[in-house]
Amino acid sequence: LGPRARAPVLPFPWGTALPPEVLKAGARCRLRAAAGKAGIQKALPPPAPAPGRVGAAMADVTFGFRPLEVPKDAKSHTPSLDAFEQQQRLMQWGLEQPLKVTKLQFVRAFKRGLADEFMQELFSCDAVREFLGAAGNHVESVDYEDRRCSVKNLEFFDRIAAEPQIVAPSGHIRRCMDEDVDGKVLSDEVQKVLIDPSSEHYDLYGEDERGEVIFRLLRLLCGGGAMAQTSESFPDYLDTLRKLYRDVVSVAKDRATAEIKVTTVAFEVKGLAGSVELFPAGAQPTHSLCLALVDPLRKHVTLLHMAHAPIGDGGGGCGGGVFMKGNAGAIFLFVLTFS
């Protein structure tokens, strides 16, 4: 190579024979980045991976779910609902006990193609089984459906507020004759448009819109629990909905357009195969709800669960015992309300 030439730095292990084209190039070949483009790297077999490192490690990677701590200065994972006024509404609607929310974090990046694996591992972890109050410990599969999560404001429900036969200009909800729909008694026009397919206003929203997370949440609030006393004010429902939606759904600014977009990927869980029960025996699935709301950016998942279990059918932690907690005064007032 001559007295001034320096030995080339080889990009492959010592003892590997150089391809013929490199030997012929001699001093003109410096084996820089261009050498790789010329096919030298391709001519060499890739180095063997260390035993037990690459293949086995990738196969063993899990999402590693673990519970998130409740935010500082908050009582729950829905801090917007911790206020006294919101708690009073939830109690009135029969949701103070049955409606539960928890949040977990995970370590592996979420992708749509891994949804089955994600849901299987999520509902198999100890923290979620404890959250459900389930006695079993084996989940064979998860029955779930994709849910849209694109609505960013409450204008979505202007169609209901604009119908004078449903909501008066004052915001007062129109009452109706009691009607049983799948085991739940509906007593006002808002409940009917949200729940009853036979309602003359049911077609205000198409099936895709009814699959929106915000629609599912309003349906839950207005339908209430097994011992619900409905509100006469539609704005009351919307106010609580706004706070709940903000606590469980994530948004982010698009860098290219500066537009605020919902980043949550949503699933509604319909059932679990195995020894773990999603809802307790006796719960009415039509009026129960379980949502898994994934934040892929922060690697968080929010579980929202409400089992509509009639009083006396049990349900434990899943919401069957509306009267089981709270101080005596609160329970006494609650009983008086429904006497």
Side-chain angles (χ1 to χ4, degrees), residues 8-311:
V9 179
L10 300 178
F12 29 74
W14 292 104
T16 304
L18 291 174
E21 58 268 28
V22 176
L23 296 175
K24 291 180 182 178
R28 291 175 299 173
C29 181
R30 299 288 183 181
L31 296 180
R32 293 178 299 193
K37 295 180 181 179
I40 297 175
Q41 300 268 5
K42 294 180 181 179
L44 296 170
R53 291 287 304 275
V54 179
M58 288 302 294
D60 293 339
V61 169
T62 65
F63 288 97
F65 292 104
R66 56 193 181 115
L68 276 173
E69 293 184 1
V70 172
K72 190 176 293 186
D73 301 325
K75 299 177 183 178
S76 69
H77 285 293
T78 52
S80 297
L81 300 185
D82 288 342
F84 178 77
E85 180 183 20
Q86 299 299 328
Q87 288 297 305
Q88 288 296 101
R89 288 178 184 170
L90 293 178
M91 179 180 288
Q92 176 183 344
W93 302 336
L95 294 172
E96 184 195 24
Q97 297 293 325
L99 178 59
K100 306 185 298 180
V101 176
T102 191
K103 296 191 177 186
L104 301 93
Q105 60 184 0
F106 51 93
V107 296
R108 184 178 180 179
F110 173 82
K111 297 179 181 179
R112 285 275 190 175
L114 295 174
D116 287 349
E117 182 181 359
F118 182 91
M119 297 295 281
Q120 172 85 20
E121 186 178 332
L122 174 64
F123 282 88
S124 296
C125 74
D126 293 340
V128 172
R129 292 202 305 271
E130 181 179 351
F131 169 71
L132 295 177
N137 58 10
H138 177 63
V139 175
E140 295 177 1
S141 62
V142 181
D143 179 18
Y144 66 92
E145 297 176 359
D146 290 1
R147 287 299 180 206
R148 291 175 56 177
C149 193
S150 60
V151 177
K152 292 179 286 187
N153 57 63
L154 295 179
E155 293 178 1
F156 185 69
F157 296 109
D158 285 353
R159 279 171 268 178
I160 293 177
E163 285 288 339
Q165 293 178 327
I166 303 175
V167 179
S170 63
H172 183 86
I173 298 173
R174 304 288 190 188
R175 311 299 291 181
C176 67
M177 294 292 292
D178 287 354
E179 184 174 347
D180 186 288
V181 176
D182 294 328
K184 185 171 187 63
V185 176
L186 308 183
S187 57
D188 65 54
E189 293 294 343
V190 169
Q191 286 183 324
K192 290 188 68 175
V193 74
L194 295 174
I195 299 172
D196 184 9
S198 68
S199 167
E200 60 181 305
H201 301 291
Y202 191 81
D203 60 357
L204 281 176
Y205 294 89
E207 290 306 313
D208 287 345
E209 293 175 310
R210 289 177 176 274
E212 283 277 356
V213 168
I214 198 168
F215 191 97
R216 305 296 291 169
L217 293 178
L218 182 63
R219 187 183 190 275
L220 171 69
L221 296 177
C222 292
M227 291 294 290
Q229 181 185 30
T230 59
S231 174
E232 296 182 350
S233 169
F234 190 50
D236 283 357
Y237 287 116
L238 295 183
D239 178 62
T240 300
L241 174 64
R242 179 190 296 108
K243 291 176 168 59
L244 176 60
Y245 195 64
R246 183 173 57 195
D247 282 344
V248 301
V249 169
S250 303
V251 297
K253 181 181 289 188
D254 189 305
R255 293 184 179 181
T257 64
E259 179 186 359
I260 299 297
K261 294 186 176 181
V262 178
T263 58
T264 294
V265 179
F267 305 102
E268 181 171 347
V269 184
K270 295 295 189 177
L272 304 175
S275 61
V276 178
E277 290 186 345
L278 181 63
F279 302 118
Q284 297 156 320
T286 304
H287 307 299
S288 301
L289 182 67
C290 182
L291 294 174
L293 307 170
V294 185
D295 182 346
L297 300 182
R298 297 182 180 88
K299 293 183 179 178
H300 292 174
V301 56
T302 299
L303 281 181
L304 181 145
H305 182 275
M306 198 285 284
H308 192 284
I311 301 302

